[in-house]
Amino acid sequence: MSSWSEERRRNQAAEAEQHRLDEDAREARRIKAQEIADKRQREERRKDAEEKRTGRAQQRRERMQRRQARAAKREKTLTPGNVYRRGTLLLVALSAAASLPAQVLHFVAISWMLFPIGPAVEGAAWVMAAGVAYADERKLAGWVRWTLRGLSMSAAGFAATINYKYGTSLTAEGLTANEAQAAGIGLAAVTLGGPLFFEVRQWVMTLAAKTATPKQQAEDKARERHRKDRAKKFKDVTDRQRDLLLAAPFGTLSEEDAFDQAWLDKKGAPRGVTADAIADRLDAEADVAAVLASGEHAEEKLAVELLLADIFGRDRGDGGPSGTSGSKPKGGPRGGAPKGRTALGGKGKRPVRGTSATEGDRPLDEADLETVRKLAGALGGTDRLSARNVREAVGCRNDYGLRLRDAVRAETQGDNQ
């Protein structure tokens, strides 16, 4: 019996422990779910706040853009040109609004059947003024524009006379004589002023369209001077150019293409090249070749050789890109001409001569020594000798050139002692 009771107590204790563990697990799951829910809510609130900030920033940018657009529009609208053009149109509209009723009332007072005369007279002035603007736009002949101007001002003058008489007749309406005269003058002024303002506006716009910037004016002046100088210097070519332009369909041949073809027709060569220029160049090249080939002008030959060597960019130092090595060569001081030296062979340049002797035991050639002595004389002293200019003059390897230079310097020092 006691064992059964003990077993029951153990079972109850195990059930209680299991129940406690289940409760702890449920509580942990609840806490974890609550944390997830809180985290989700915080994330949602953060996103909402970020969206609100983004929305407010976007609204600020849009307001700034609208303000900038309005400022740019105001700046563009309130330029002197726009103010003048629009202000003139406003004055014109006010003038028409002030003068047209007086025209109508004047003729209606005579008879209602004369009602169209007022708008017709006033409209004639404006239609002719618009005709002047159209003639300027289409670039019609000057007499057309002046005829339209005359018709416009004639109609405006007739309308101004009618309005002046109408204004002075207002004494019957209870105005004094001075008041009636002022009304007549005012009506006549606005009747004439409207078309006159419009015509001045058209003049200003036309002149402004024709006015170029200082830079454009200078460029046009330079282009015109170039055209005149070209026509004066190459009259036969420019005459042929005009023939080609007239012969070709309009707009199919440009002036520069026509000049190129005209030069080729007259000179037989591309633009800028003439027979005299070609002959002068050939003569100059022949003179240079003759000096290089002549043995009577050693100093001139050496100077020209050095100049040509600098031009062709050869031997930019001891053992440069011409193929001359700064180290001791195996084939002697004159073993094989390096690449790049053959370009001057036809102009008197002596190529590097081949030999089987080495640098160490090769004796100095007397002809080479004489060449270096002459080079020193041409340069103004042995102190100006270098491995480079000796190598250029003799056509040898670097070590051999150094030995030649040192030998000539030693001779000079011995003579001075």
Side-chain angles (χ1 to χ4, degrees), residues 262-298:
W263 187 284
L264 187 61
D265 293 344
K266 290 295 184 180
K267 307 298 183 181
R271 180 197 294 215
V273 180
T274 63
D276 292 339
I278 295 175
D280 291 342
R281 185 175 64 191
L282 293 177
D283 290 342
E285 291 179 354
D287 292 340
V288 172
V291 171
L292 291 176
S294 175
E296 300 176 357
H297 303 281

Side-chain angles (χ1 to χ4, degrees), residues 31-92:
I31 293 174
K32 186 175 182 179
Q34 185 65 37
E35 289 178 353
I36 293 174
D38 293 343
K39 183 178 180 181
R40 185 183 300 111
Q41 290 178 358
R42 288 195 299 272
E43 186 67 20
E44 290 177 355
R45 286 195 296 269
R46 185 187 65 79
K47 290 182 178 179
D48 292 340
E50 185 176 354
E51 289 177 357
K52 290 180 181 179
R53 287 194 299 270
T54 303
R56 288 193 294 269
Q58 181 64 26
Q59 291 176 358
R60 287 194 297 270
R61 285 194 296 269
E62 291 177 352
R63 286 196 298 269
M64 184 177 297
Q65 290 176 356
R66 288 194 295 269
R67 286 196 296 268
Q68 291 176 351
R70 288 194 297 268
K73 184 178 180 180
R74 285 195 301 270
E75 184 178 358
K76 184 178 180 180
T77 302
L78 296 179
T79 58
N82 286 335
V83 171
Y84 176 74
R85 287 191 294 269
R86 297 181 181 182
T88 305
L89 291 179
L90 179 62
L91 289 177
V92 166

Side-chain angles (χ1 to χ4, degrees), residues 49-285:
E50 185 176 354
E51 289 177 357
K52 290 180 181 179
R53 287 194 299 270
T54 303
R56 288 193 294 269
Q58 181 64 26
Q59 291 176 358
R60 287 194 297 270
R61 285 194 296 269
E62 291 177 352
R63 286 196 298 269
M64 184 177 297
Q65 290 176 356
R66 288 194 295 269
R67 286 196 296 268
Q68 291 176 351
R70 288 194 297 268
K73 184 178 180 180
R74 285 195 301 270
E75 184 178 358
K76 184 178 180 180
T77 302
L78 296 179
T79 58
N82 286 335
V83 171
Y84 176 74
R85 287 191 294 269
R86 297 181 181 182
T88 305
L89 291 179
L90 179 62
L91 289 177
V92 166
L94 293 176
S95 299
S99 61
L100 184 59
Q103 294 280 322
V104 173
L105 291 175
H106 175 79
F107 287 104
V108 168
I110 299 174
S111 172
W112 66 270
M113 296 179 64
L114 302 178
F115 170 80
I117 295 179
V121 173
E122 191 75 18
W126 292 112
V127 170
M128 293 301 106
V132 175
Y134 178 73
D136 285 336
E137 179 183 350
R138 303 295 294 181
K139 294 181 173 54
L140 300 182
W143 67 269
V144 176
R145 283 174 266 189
W146 283 107
T147 301
L148 292 172
R149 287 189 182 101
L151 293 175
S152 175
M153 297 312 297
S154 298
F158 178 73
T161 302
I162 297 299
N163 281 348
Y164 178 78
K165 291 181 179 179
Y166 176 78
T168 54
S169 67
L170 292 179
T171 53
E173 303 294 333
L175 298 180
T176 63
N178 291 335
E179 292 173 344
Q181 186 176 11
I185 293 174
L187 288 173
V190 296
T191 304
L192 281 173
L196 184 61
F197 291 154
F198 189 83
E199 177 60 27
V200 172
R201 174 183 182 273
Q202 188 60 32
W203 265 350
V204 172
M205 292 178 62
T206 302
L207 292 174
K210 293 181 179 179
T211 302
T213 62
K215 181 178 179 181
Q216 184 64 36
Q217 290 177 351
E219 184 177 347
D220 293 341
K221 186 181 295 184
R223 184 180 292 107
E224 181 64 20
R225 183 168 59 251
H226 176 268
R227 187 188 64 80
K228 290 181 179 179
D229 292 344
R230 172 188 279 181
K232 182 179 179 181
K233 180 69 175 179
F234 310 110
K235 187 176 184 304
D236 56 340
V237 178
T238 53
D239 290 342
R240 176 59 179 164
Q241 178 191 20
R242 283 191 291 270
D243 294 341
L244 292 172
L245 290 173
L246 292 175
F250 179 76
T252 60
L253 183 63
S254 66
E255 292 188 1
E256 293 303 319
D257 291 341
F259 189 83
D260 288 339
Q261 183 60 43
W263 187 284
L264 187 61
D265 293 344
K266 290 295 184 180
K267 307 298 183 181
R271 180 197 294 215
V273 180
T274 63
D276 292 339
I278 295 175
D280 291 342
R281 185 175 64 191
L282 293 177
D283 290 342
E285 291 179 354

